């Protein structure tokens, strides 16, 4: 069994994050609670707008049964996130819900240098490593790149 969302009705540790978000004002047509705000705790590199797009939810959308699982599935499938925790959903004053999703981003591959190499061009080694600038740098990516260069 796995947790796909957590409902809490008490205070929220990430309240400072939520305070900076503009809440949605329109109630959902379906009678389900409306999402008033969405925050991504742990976000460092990617713009909030990008994470909203990937997650598939926005303030103003209804929070339906299964929304938490859908959001987790979409975010977990995005290769730039190393970890996604179940959404924490709290009741908003005046109705609706606040949603906070804890994420851990992968580092992004930047420039690469190869030490101890006098025989081959860095561009040749870079191509053989399989690493590309801007790609997510998973924890095992450096080891895989080294293995590719040795083979």
């Amino acid at each position: 069994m796995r947790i796909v969302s957590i409902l809490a009705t008490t205070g929220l540790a990430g309240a400072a994050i939520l305070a900076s978000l503009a809440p949605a004002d329109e109630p959902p047509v379906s009678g389900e609670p409306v999402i008033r705000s969405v925050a991504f705790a742990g976000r460092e590199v990617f713009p909030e707008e990008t994470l909203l797009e990937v997650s598939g939810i926005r303030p103003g959308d209804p929070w339906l049964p299964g929304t938490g699982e859908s959001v987790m599935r979409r975010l977990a499938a995005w290769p730039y996130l190393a970890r996604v925790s179940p959404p924490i959903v709290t009741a908003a004053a005046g109705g609706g819900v606040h949603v906070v999703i804890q994420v851990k981003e992968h580092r992004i591959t930047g420039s690469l240098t190869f030490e101890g190499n006098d025989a081959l061009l860095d561009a040749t080694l870079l191509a053989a490593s399989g690493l590309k600038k801007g790609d997510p740098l998973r924890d095992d990516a450096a080891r895989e790149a080294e293995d590719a260069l040795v083979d």
Side-chain angles (χ1 to χ4, degrees), residues 54-67:
V54 172
S55 73
I57 61 171
R58 296 190 169 279
D61 291 347
W63 183 262
L64 303 169
T67 299

Side-chain angles (χ1 to χ4, degrees), residues 8 11 15 33 36 38 41 53 55 58-59 66 77 85 98 103-105 112-113 121 135:
R36 297 291 177 195
V38 180
E53 192 173 307
S55 73
R58 296 190 169 279
S85 295
H98 296 295
V103 297
K104 179 172 179 7
E105 300 164 332
L112 298 166
T113 57
L121 295 174
D135 281 353

Side-chain angles (χ1 to χ4, degrees), residues 54-114:
V54 172
S55 73
I57 61 171
R58 296 190 169 279
D61 291 347
W63 183 262
L64 303 169
T67 299
E69 185 172 306
S70 173
V71 166
M72 279 196 62
R73 189 172 39 252
R74 290 176 62 115
L75 289 171
W78 198 48
Y80 292 95
L81 293 179
R83 187 173 52 247
V84 180
S85 295
I88 298 172
V89 182
T90 58
V97 294
H98 296 295
V99 179
V100 177
I101 304 163
Q102 180 73 38
V103 297
K104 179 172 179 7
E105 300 164 332
H106 278 298
R107 295 167 292 170
I108 304 300
T109 305
S111 63
L112 298 166
T113 57
F114 300 91

Side-chain angles (χ1 to χ4, degrees), residues 2-144:
R2 64 182 177 157
I3 300 171
V4 293
S5 65
I6 300 170
L7 178 60
T9 56
T10 59
L12 179 66
I17 297 169
L18 292 174
S20 67
L21 300 174
D25 294 326
E26 297 180 22
V29 177
S30 67
E32 299 291 340
V34 68
I35 299 171
R36 297 291 177 195
S37 63
V38 180
F40 297 93
R43 179 187 68 79
E44 296 177 3
V45 176
F46 296 100
E48 190 169 290
E49 181 61 31
T50 300
L51 292 172
L52 285 169
E53 192 173 307
V54 172
S55 73
I57 61 171
R58 296 190 169 279
D61 291 347
W63 183 262
L64 303 169
T67 299
E69 185 172 306
S70 173
V71 166
M72 279 196 62
R73 189 172 39 252
R74 290 176 62 115
L75 289 171
W78 198 48
Y80 292 95
L81 293 179
R83 187 173 52 247
V84 180
S85 295
I88 298 172
V89 182
T90 58
V97 294
H98 296 295
V99 179
V100 177
I101 304 163
Q102 180 73 38
V103 297
K104 179 172 179 7
E105 300 164 332
H106 278 298
R107 295 167 292 170
I108 304 300
T109 305
S111 63
L112 298 166
T113 57
F114 300 91
E115 294 179 358
N117 168 48
D118 295 326
L120 298 172
L121 295 174
D122 280 358
T124 303
L125 291 172
L126 180 60
S129 74
L131 296 173
K132 294 182 181 130
K133 186 175 181 176
D135 281 353
L137 185 60
R138 302 176 327 275
D139 292 338
D140 57 349
R143 185 177 58 255
E144 289 174 5

